[in-house]
Amino acid sequence: MAASGGPVEVALVAVAEATAGGAGAGGGAASSSSSSPGGACCWVWEVGSGAILAGYRGGSFAARGLALLGGEHLLGAQLGKAWLGAWELQRKDQLQQKIICPGLVSCLTAAPNGLYVLAGIAESIYLWEVSSGNLLAILNRHYQDLTCLAFTDDSSHFLSGAKDCLVIVWNLCSVLQAEHSQSPEPRHVWSRHSLPITDLCCGVGGPMARAATASLDQTAKLWEISSGDLLLSVVFDVGIMSVTLDLTEYFMFCGGMDGSIFQVDLCSWPVQRERGFRTERENGKVFQGHRNQVTCLSVSTDGNLLLSGSHDETVRLWDIQSRQCLRTVNYKGPITNAFITLAPANMINPDSKPSVPLPKFSRHLHNVENMEGSGSEGLTLCLGLHQKVRGPKLLYGVRMGRAPLTSALSLQNLTGNHEQLKIQVTELEEEVATLRKINKSLFDFSSRIITKPGKQ
């Protein structure tokens, strides 16, 4: 543990399948033997010593599907299931809550301020308010499945990446203020990648930060969030599955499909907006050791250590300066999530409790759910964002205003038209769903053709 009350830096690791036997450390000069609770799906171990601090049981995590919420809860998108698992950090014995979602969750993130949760479900982004559990927005700007989501460090913006090759930057305030009948406009749409997005990360600086994106098109790109400008594009010989920045943003680390980890110097001279990565020219800045694609990368807070997770069922801790592997931890399944963070107090203190329990997360938009939840009949009018007036009350107000009696009949006609409109909307939604399936099939087919290795 860290010395006398100092911060404890920990690694959180999750696998696709939770099997008995857990994890064990081995290999490397600084490795130490340890074992984790059997049947756990997520492990927490101290970066400095390698000692396992906790193991959370009760599920298996999808890629990019692990998030710390407000320093009090751990959220996990369950592999192949339409729900999120929620654990209280100090209670590691069992799954505490299931959050039912409208569909399979492909990626997940939580705002650093602990107020909001984002989930990618098919090609839609769902935004929940943590304090109330209300579903505040459903964003439908992507046309293929979501693959990754990330907030800026001040929670003012978030980024989404998908299989449609797009990365979209959203202003959280604009999303929250938009009317439900209108789709909020994103701040930027980045379309410079030519194959599905695999990972993205945000640097430090809120709306002034830089963001890195990775793609199967064998490139990693660096962007400026404020202007939307492309700052750097690096071309590799393999598809890039993961990307991260160190805190000083001197280096960008990229995980390849072949198990290599590439270290890109962001301060090299002369400055070039587009360049190819050459091992010889980069003085051998490649971390070698993984035998399969590198799915997760994270840098320690002091910038000296790099954590990597791979489908070869290992997590490795590297010394960045020497590029030597200090510790190898073996697991029983592909690594889907791995990152370094400072341990929240609730994780260390078994007597602590969340300040507020997690509410039930809604599956319907907040305003729509409130309108449909009322038992009264009649037309509902929304005044502003939150004021609602039901049909009978509106009719009473009209009569008090000495309006003609025909107004009541008009309201009844409007109600009938409203029912007919709902039927038409349902039919159109079914047609859109069919077209999306056709579009997805065509896209997947073309992607397989493009990425299929040629005959030697």
Side-chain angles (χ1 to χ4, degrees), residues 135-162:
L135 178 58
L136 302 182
I138 301 176
L139 307 176
N140 296 296
R141 190 59 184 261
H142 289 282
Y143 60 89
Q144 291 293 333
D145 291 352
L146 270 293
T147 56
C148 43
L149 292 163
F151 271 99
T152 56
D153 60 344
D154 66 345
S155 304
S156 66
H157 292 70
F158 61 90
L159 282 68
S160 59

Side-chain angles (χ1 to χ4, degrees), residues 29-152:
S31 65
S32 58
S33 179
S34 59
S35 60
S36 68
C41 58
C42 177
W43 292 266
V44 181
W45 44 272
E46 189 177 353
V47 171
S49 66
I52 293 180
L53 304 180
Y56 296 91
R57 313 182 188 193
S60 57
F61 289 85
R64 317 273 179 250
L66 182 67
L68 281 174
L69 178 59
E72 296 181 341
H73 293 89
L74 180 71
L75 298 182
Q78 298 303 295
L79 191 63
K81 299 178 181 178
W83 52 273
L84 304 177
W87 292 259
E88 295 178 8
L89 286 183
Q90 82 285 357
R91 296 183 61 186
K92 310 166 183 67
D93 52 345
Q94 61 182 356
L95 178 68
Q96 300 302 314
Q97 183 175 338
K98 288 185 179 180
I99 300 173
I100 306 300
C101 298
L104 298 181
V105 179
S106 58
C107 52
L108 173 73
T109 191
N113 60 17
L115 299 181
Y116 302 98
V117 169
L118 284 172
I121 300 176
E123 67 275 8
S124 301
I125 304 171
Y126 285 69
L127 172 64
W128 283 280
E129 184 181 44
V130 174
S131 61
S132 62
N134 290 332
L135 178 58
L136 302 182
I138 301 176
L139 307 176
N140 296 296
R141 190 59 184 261
H142 289 282
Y143 60 89
Q144 291 293 333
D145 291 352
L146 270 293
T147 56
C148 43
L149 292 163
F151 271 99
T152 56

